Amino acid sequence: MSLVLVADDEPAVLEVLSQVVEDLGHDVLRARDGEEAFGLARAKRPQLVVTDHMMPRLSGLELCRRLRGDELLKDVPVILLSAVLPQGAPEASAFLHKPFEITDFEAVIRQKLAHLPEPRLLSESPPVEALGHWVAQTLQGPLAAAREHLQRLQAASAVDRQAVEALGAQLRSMEFVSRSLQEAARLAAGSVTLQCVAEDLLPHLRRAVEAWQAQEPQVAIHLTVPEGPVGLHFDPERMRQVFDGLLANAVHYGKGRGAVRVELLAAHALVTVRVRDEGPGFTEQELPRLFAPFQARPDDGGTGLGLYIASELARLHGGALSAESLPAKGCTLSLLLPRG
């Protein structure tokens, strides 16, 4: 019997694939996006990973690359499923083009599990990381059931639509809390590795700003950037998390209180991203704890982890976050990243 991780963002497909693997006599871990799959892989060390390609937060191909770049997971075979990639990818051990026959799926599962590499001697996950994964895994079942019931309500004709929308928002909030806790636990345990590339930082920042502007149209977000490209060595996925943490803070505290201003500055040795809001600001006592975990304000409604995660990811890039604020005069968060 082996442990197989199956990742797919379509609940029905995830259930079918998982059932096939279980019918073959193996244990199954279920993940609904690539980021969740990678976290489960780090925590549980599966013998095989099956992943769809088109998934939110982290695609199947990106998941393959992250697994290959992880010292503890690089030997785990990955079966990639896709309707858009005609030939698969070299990072995957096997590939099935959708739609495929269940018999073909069973055959490739048997083949990969029959030729497993020798198990590596791995140390246990640090307690803090194990706790984060345990919480996320424990919540997975109730959240999946809640999603299923919500889908039934959404399909019903006679239902309070406002109540259904509120339930959906609360469910998304719980899923976000689960992901944030898991990510914070991995950062605290030192288990996060970057997949850096040399790229222009500007379009990544622009996409983050555009996404937040579309999500919160009532808040004006102004972006100021240099004329030319801003080359930097960074992990695009992780840098987006940093941008999201800074923008979430500014949008939340600046909502109804003025515009959010984002500025990208590029010098020879340093790149700076400043995010300024016109909200109530932070007191002198609050500022030193701003980047510590679990520092949500009583009226925040957030996890208290966003700026901690952003700060730790900035640190992994060799940079740092800083804050300037006065009560009733807004807050400016600055991301400092070294070049070269």
Side-chain angles (χ1 to χ4, degrees):
M1 178 185 293
S2 298
L3 181 62
V4 180
L5 171 61
V6 181
D8 199 299
D9 61 325
E10 292 291 336
V13 176
L14 179 61
E15 184 58 34
V16 169
L17 297 180
S18 299
Q19 189 61 57
V20 171
V21 174
E22 288 178 342
D23 289 344
L24 291 173
H26 305 292
D27 292 328
V28 175
L29 292 171
R30 294 170 172 82
R32 288 161 182 81
D33 60 57
E35 193 68 45
E36 182 183 17
F38 184 69
L40 286 173
R42 290 277 311 182
K44 301 296 184 179
R45 312 290 192 248
Q47 282 75 54
L48 176 66
V49 174
V50 178
T51 179
D52 184 31
H53 172 51
M54 299 296 289
M55 295 189 297
R57 297 210 301 151
L58 197 69
S59 72
L61 183 55
E62 291 168 329
L63 173 61
C64 289
R65 291 169 178 167
R66 189 170 291 185
L67 291 170
R68 292 290 168 263
D70 190 288
E71 182 63 25
L72 302 179
L73 299 169
K74 63 182 181 181
D75 295 330
V76 177
V78 181
I79 302 172
L80 183 64
L81 315 175
S82 177
V84 298
L85 297 175
Q87 302 297 330
E91 294 87 349
S93 308
F95 174 73
L96 284 176
H97 191 276
K98 289 185 172 180
F100 50 80
E101 297 293 334
I102 291 298
T103 52
D104 293 334
F105 180 66
E106 291 177 340
V108 74
I109 291 288
R110 288 194 180 96
Q111 179 189 23
K112 291 304 168 186
L113 290 178
H115 298 87
L116 288 177
E118 289 297 319
R120 299 167 58 109
L121 295 176
L122 304 173
S123 59
E124 294 294 328
S125 298
V128 65
E129 183 183 5
L131 175 61
H133 290 311
W134 177 83
V135 172
Q137 183 71 8
T138 302
L139 290 174
Q140 191 180 76
L143 287 174
R147 275 191 293 265
E148 182 178 347
H149 289 300
L150 181 62
Q151 289 173 351
R152 291 178 182 174
L153 286 174
Q154 290 170 334
S157 56
V159 68
D160 186 337
R161 293 296 170 188
Q162 187 174 359
V164 170
E165 290 178 6
L167 284 173
Q170 291 299 318
L171 181 56
R172 289 190 295 273
S173 178
M174 290 176 63
E175 292 171 332
F176 176 72
V177 169
S178 175
R179 292 194 301 267
S180 296
L181 181 58
Q182 190 175 29
E183 184 75 347
R186 293 184 61 233
L187 285 164
S191 300
V192 173
T193 56
L194 300 182
Q195 306 293 320
C196 291
V197 296
E199 287 190 4
D200 182 4
L201 184 66
L202 197 157
H204 294 270
L205 177 60
R206 192 184 301 279
R207 283 194 291 270
V209 169
E210 290 172 350
W212 274 96
Q213 186 66 87
Q215 181 178 326
E216 301 285 351
Q218 70 276 28
V219 179
I221 306 178
H222 303 295
L223 176 62
T224 303
V225 298
E227 291 185 2
V230 178
L232 198 68
H233 198 64
F234 64 99
D235 183 325
E237 179 76 19
R238 298 302 187 178
M239 192 58 65
R240 176 58 185 267
Q241 287 181 262
V242 178
F243 293 155
D244 283 343
L246 301 181
L247 287 163
N249 179 81
V251 168
H252 177 82
Y253 289 114
K255 190 179 297 184
R257 301 183 179 96
V260 171
R261 303 187 184 279
V262 182
E263 184 179 17
L264 176 60
L265 303 171
H268 176 71
L270 190 69
V271 171
T272 303
V273 178
R274 291 180 183 150
V275 180
R276 180 166 63 88
D277 65 66
E278 299 179 14
F282 296 92
T283 66
E284 192 172 322
Q285 292 73 31
E286 288 175 315
L287 270 180
R289 303 192 303 269
L290 197 58
F291 303 118
F294 308 113
Q295 296 298 317
R297 287 180 168 184
D299 61 344
D300 190 344
T303 63
L305 291 171
L307 290 181
Y308 166 73
I309 291 173
S311 177
E312 288 299 296
L313 290 175
R315 181 183 60 81
L316 286 178
H317 280 87
L321 289 187
S322 64
E324 301 174 37
S325 181
L326 291 173
K329 293 190 177 180
C331 176
T332 299
L333 297 176
S334 297
L335 167 63
L336 308 175
L337 297 168
R339 304 182 83 169

